[in-house]
Amino acid sequence: MLRFIFNRLLQAIPTIWVIITLTFFLIMNAPGNPFSQEREMREETRQQLMEHYGLDKPLLVQYWTYLKRLASFDLGPSFKQEGRSINEIIAQGFPVSLELGLLALGVALLVGVPAGVIAAARQNTILDYLPMSGAMIGICMPTFVIGPILGLVFGVWLGWFNVAGWFSWEDRVLPAFTLGLAYAAYIARLTRAGMLETLGLDYIRTARAKGLREKTVVLKHALRGGIIPVISYLGPAMAGLISGSFVVETVFQVPGLGRYFIDGALNRDYFMILGTTIFYATLIVGANLLVDIAHTLLDPKLRKA
Amino acid sequence: MVFKRLTPSIETMESAAEKPHSLWVDSMARLRKNQLAVASLWIFVAIAAFCFIGPIFHPHAPDDSKITLRETPPFAEILEYEDRFGNAHQISRKDFPQRNRDLPGSVLEAVENGTSFVYKDIEYRNSKDIYFLGTDSQGRDLMARIMQGGRISLGVGFLATLIALLIGVTYGSISGYQGGRLDAFMMRTVEILYAMPFTIFVILLMVVFGRSLILIFVAIGAVEWLTMARITRNQVLQLKEQEFALAARAMGVSTPAIIRRHMIPNLLGPIVVYATLSVPAIMILEAVLSFLGLGVQPPDASWGSLISDGAQKMTSSPWLLLAPAAFFSITLFAMNFLGDGLRDALDVKSSKD
């Protein structure tokens, strides 16, 4: 097991390195530069700024400096928010994004898994069709459609929640649901499919033949196997929840990392884009790693391989 | 060549019995039985026709901005008048009292009663124009804007899918067919790219290469080909060990010809299914970009940018959000149901991985 984890870690490093390199050269070769949009900036000032951030040196030198910086976990300064480092910005924005992501994951699991289990246990009844049609809606309606509509209905018309902001717990409800619902839909479908497959297996028949109650069979015996597809989906889901939250953050004006990333992209704040991309990529690789480990722990067949 | 002699006798057998059904004929028959998929297909055709043919019959242009008519609700009664300089204007009857303070009682009454009236030497008449979906914050007809946005959204969806298909199928079939080290290297590359957060990567590409419509196609296509490459490779791996492929190789057919003649036709099923399901996914990606301000730039519109504009005005003019959101969602539903129907009809096991 330890060996497996070590091997996967070893595989993750080149992946992250390729992403760093690719992103770096893409960004640095972009036409124009971060200071070309600013009005009334004198040529000398611009030159000084370029020098200050080391942008005047050859690209390979810059790349090497950047890698050295990264080795000490320093993502560099922001071009646009003077005096702030990317590390500070991430330290400020990420906890918010993480909170939102985890809340959304909670919504997704709490809505998705029970819906999927019920649908599978009552296959081809109204309890199957209803949640599954709901899931189709959740999959088809992207967050930037659901978000404003939820805001319109519950914020503007019903007045239950604020339409924007991130202050009290009530402000968390709409963003978390908006972000979580699409994933809840996927999870419900995955759970249903996984449960249906497991419920047809021999050991379930054995459990029923022993005279166990249907509730025990479904929740204790079948769920353990049926949930495996959901576990493997959690990796991409976590990645999507954390890195895909910028739409929701824009809709509800949540001060998370996604907002900073989008602002960085709109303003050509190179280190900002680079730093956040690398941060996200590392997170996603890490999330996938965790899922692989969880997967091997749950499925004894994979442990030997 | 030995096989050729047998052919005539096979043909006589066939003519005696019913004509054999090809995979496609069978599949289409199965698809036709799936009412949901058929309905989805028609809904999709209707929306596409609305966007592409609709403008010919629609009286309003998407860029015709009537400032006096801004944020007019759907089906509002419209008044038309000419100002002192002889320019024609329109204003919604309901908005008239709000835009002109201290109206005399007789005018107010006329406004209420829905008749023509004269105010400050200007004659206000009822207009025959109807704005079915209302107008936006710049007084442009929302229906015309939705048609225009739909052309871009659907266009991006289909073109980017086509790009993803071309890259993915070529890449996947080479990787799968050649196998060995090349395959390992090519698939490792795909895996690394998979670890990139998709949306972030597309945003990166948009930042690097500027925000233009063509680049949206390229950026999205460049990201979406990965899954296509994987599906193709897995299929090719299975196909190339089958007898007909072995026979072709034994007869000395060149590799590109085998891929083109024997592999790709057999791949069509899964490819068609995946492509159908890709279109809505790509439309969402484009809409996300436009929603964030990184995609289509004004005055052009896509459904994403219309939803984004609408979201900002939703408190005062909810139709600006609801109408484009409805068109977008219905299209996504239709494409997803059609894709699911095709998957069942073509009997493709799994569209992903």
Side-chain angles (χ1 to χ4, degrees):
Chain A
M1 191 64 212
L2 268 176
R3 203 194 144 103
F4 168 79
I5 296 175
F6 182 74
N7 274 339
R8 288 305 317 260
L9 267 177
L10 224 57
Q11 275 178 26
I13 291 167
T15 310
I16 291 172
W17 173 73
V18 169
I19 292 173
I20 293 172
T21 313
L22 204 68
T23 325
F24 183 88
F25 285 101
L26 262 177
I27 296 270
M28 291 304 173
N29 279 315
N33 70 60
F35 308 110
S36 58
Q37 283 175 343
E38 258 153 72
R39 280 158 280 160
E40 290 177 33
M41 184 181 277
R42 286 194 323 213
E43 189 55 26
E44 306 155 38
T45 330
R46 204 178 62 85
Q47 215 57 47
Q48 274 174 350
L49 272 171
M50 298 280 280
E51 228 166 273
H52 176 72
Y53 291 115
L55 293 176
D56 52 337
K57 299 201 182 66
L59 206 53
L60 278 175
V61 178
Q62 284 184 47
Y63 175 60
W64 183 238
T65 332
Y66 193 75
L67 280 188
K68 274 198 291 195
R69 260 199 191 147
L70 277 183
S72 56
F73 299 102
D74 176 11
L75 292 166
S78 163
F79 293 165
K80 297 285 161 155
Q81 307 194 23
E82 271 165 58
R84 294 183 77 192
S85 71
I86 309 293
N87 291 46
E88 275 169 40
I89 293 173
I90 290 180
Q92 195 188 15
F94 181 62
V96 176
S97 292
L98 186 67
E99 189 190 338
L100 175 58
L102 288 177
L103 283 173
L105 188 67
V107 170
L109 286 173
L110 285 177
V111 174
V113 172
V117 170
I118 292 171
R122 298 272 179 274
Q123 198 192 356
N124 295 331
T125 66
I126 188 82
L127 282 175
D128 180 14
Y129 298 138
L130 219 61
M132 285 307 117
S133 331
M136 199 65 191
I137 297 176
I139 289 171
C140 291
M141 300 255 281
T143 44
F144 62 91
V145 176
I146 294 183
I149 288 179
L150 284 184
L152 182 66
V153 174
F154 294 101
V156 180
W157 288 346
L158 294 173
W160 292 354
F161 306 105
N162 291 327
V163 183
W166 190 256
F167 304 103
S168 62
W169 68 267
E170 284 140 332
D171 294 339
R172 268 82 168 159
V173 175
L174 286 182
F177 268 87
T178 305
L179 189 54
L181 279 182
Y183 293 90
Y186 270 111
I187 288 177
R189 275 163 67 130
L190 283 173
T191 313
R192 179 177 177 273
M195 288 296 287
L196 283 180
E197 207 183 320
T198 328
L199 281 171
L201 292 180
D202 287 343
Y203 78 92
I204 297 295
R205 206 186 320 149
T206 314
R208 281 189 182 137
K210 277 199 306 187
L212 290 179
R213 279 186 309 160
E214 186 62 18
K215 201 176 153 193
T216 323
V217 174
V218 171
L219 292 183
K220 280 192 91 172
H221 293 248
L223 190 58
R224 196 184 149 106
I227 203 90
I228 287 181
V230 177
I231 306 277
S232 19
Y233 175 63
L234 281 187
M238 284 246 279
L241 282 169
I242 294 165
S243 70
S245 63
F246 32 68
V247 173
V248 176
E249 286 175 19
T250 311
V251 170
F252 294 103
Q253 297 183 21
V254 177
L257 191 53
R259 285 276 297 290
Y260 288 111
F261 174 72
I262 297 297
D263 287 346
L266 288 167
N267 292 328
R268 296 181 162 267
D269 192 339
Y270 286 179
F271 281 178
M272 186 80 208
I273 311 174
L274 260 174
T276 34
T277 306
I278 292 167
F279 183 75
Y280 279 138
T282 316
L283 262 182
I284 288 170
V285 172
N288 283 328
L289 195 70
L290 280 179
V291 167
D292 277 354
I293 293 168
H295 212 167
T296 23
L297 285 176
L298 264 179
D299 193 345
K301 265 183 276 173
L302 287 173
R303 232 175 281 169
K304 284 172 207 146
Chain B
M1 295 306 110
V2 186
F3 304 112
K4 222 171 188 178
R5 244 179 235 170
L6 284 171
T7 331
S9 61
I10 288 172
E11 264 175 5
T12 45
M13 277 169 70
E14 276 171 1
S15 59
E18 232 181 283
K19 253 196 154 185
H21 291 188
S22 79
L23 170 77
W24 286 95
V25 174
D26 270 355
S27 305
M28 288 309 115
R30 248 173 289 162
L31 186 67
R32 238 169 287 151
K33 276 189 202 138
N34 186 340
Q35 289 174 348
L36 196 58
V38 175
S40 297
L41 181 64
W42 283 114
I43 288 173
F44 174 74
V45 169
I47 288 179
F50 171 76
C51 295
F52 286 93
I53 308 172
I56 302 174
F57 306 102
H58 193 59
H60 307 294
D63 51 357
D64 184 10
S65 166
K66 297 191 176 88
I67 290 302
T68 48
L69 208 59
R70 61 186 180 272
E71 290 186 51
T72 305
F75 292 108
E77 270 182 75
I78 306 296
L79 293 169
E80 55 184 11
Y81 63 95
E82 280 170 13
D83 64 14
R84 276 174 291 161
F85 312 103
N87 299 320
H89 291 290
Q90 290 186 325
I91 187 166
S92 130
R93 184 179 283 276
K94 253 189 163 168
D95 278 354
F96 190 76
Q98 287 162 24
R99 303 249 166 103
N100 298 277
R101 294 279 158 84
D102 303 324
L103 289 171
S106 58
V107 172
L108 264 177
E109 210 170 288
V111 172
E112 290 282 313
N113 292 339
T115 49
S116 307
F117 59 90
V118 177
Y119 175 62
K120 284 188 181 168
D121 294 338
I122 294 170
E123 195 196 351
Y124 293 88
R125 293 174 307 269
N126 279 323
S127 165
K128 280 191 206 101
D129 282 359
I130 303 170
Y131 295 88
F132 293 105
L133 296 176
T135 61
D136 69 2
S137 57
Q138 291 178 47
R140 291 172 295 199
D141 177 43
L142 187 60
M143 198 154 133
R145 298 273 292 161
I146 287 177
M147 289 174 181
Q148 184 196 27
R151 287 198 293 278
I152 290 185
S153 285
L154 292 172
V156 169
F158 278 86
L159 279 179
T161 303
L162 206 66
I163 294 175
L165 272 187
L166 285 178
I167 304 177
V169 171
T170 317
Y171 192 96
S173 40
I174 292 173
S175 176
Y177 194 80
Q178 291 294 336
R181 264 198 206 162
L182 184 71
D183 178 39
F185 172 76
M186 286 172 90
M187 281 301 124
R188 186 84 198 124
T189 318
V190 168
E191 252 171 60
I192 288 176
L193 288 175
Y194 249 115
M196 290 281 272
F198 272 13
T199 325
I200 291 178
F201 193 58
V202 173
I203 290 173
L204 268 185
L205 291 176
M206 296 306 294
V207 172
V208 173
F209 297 109
R211 301 165 205 163
S212 80
L213 197 55
I214 298 164
L215 281 163
I216 300 178
F217 299 133
V218 179
I220 296 177
V223 166
E224 288 285 331
W225 63 272
L226 296 169
T227 314
M228 201 67 246
R230 273 193 169 177
I231 295 173
T232 311
R233 172 183 172 268
N234 292 342
Q235 291 284 322
V236 168
L237 275 183
Q238 288 169 17
L239 284 176
K240 76 168 179 184
E241 299 305 331
Q242 289 183 11
E243 285 83 355
F244 66 92
L246 287 175
R249 228 177 308 162
M251 283 166 75
V253 181
S254 72
T255 307
I258 293 181
I259 290 181
R260 213 171 43 243
R261 296 278 300 281
H262 298 282
M263 297 291 136
I264 292 182
N266 279 298
L267 289 169
L268 272 180
I271 289 175
V272 166
V273 171
Y274 181 71
T276 323
L277 292 170
S278 283
V279 173
I282 287 176
M283 284 174 63
I284 290 180
L285 198 49
E286 181 277 326
V288 165
L289 285 178
S290 298
F291 185 84
L292 295 170
L294 287 158
V296 174
Q297 299 296 311
D300 279 338
S302 81
W303 284 343
S305 71
L306 288 177
I307 292 171
S308 165
D309 294 345
Q312 279 162 18
K313 294 273 173 204
M314 68 181 185
T315 320
S316 55
S317 321
W319 64 90
L320 286 179
L321 168 65
L322 296 176
F327 272 92
F328 189 61
S329 309
I330 289 171
T331 310
L332 293 182
F333 271 109
M335 288 307 287
N336 274 311
F337 282 125
L338 184 60
D340 279 354
L342 274 173
R343 173 165 52 200
D344 295 342
L346 288 165
D347 200 20
V348 177
K349 273 187 195 113
S350 165
S351 72
K352 296 225 161 105
D353 64 53

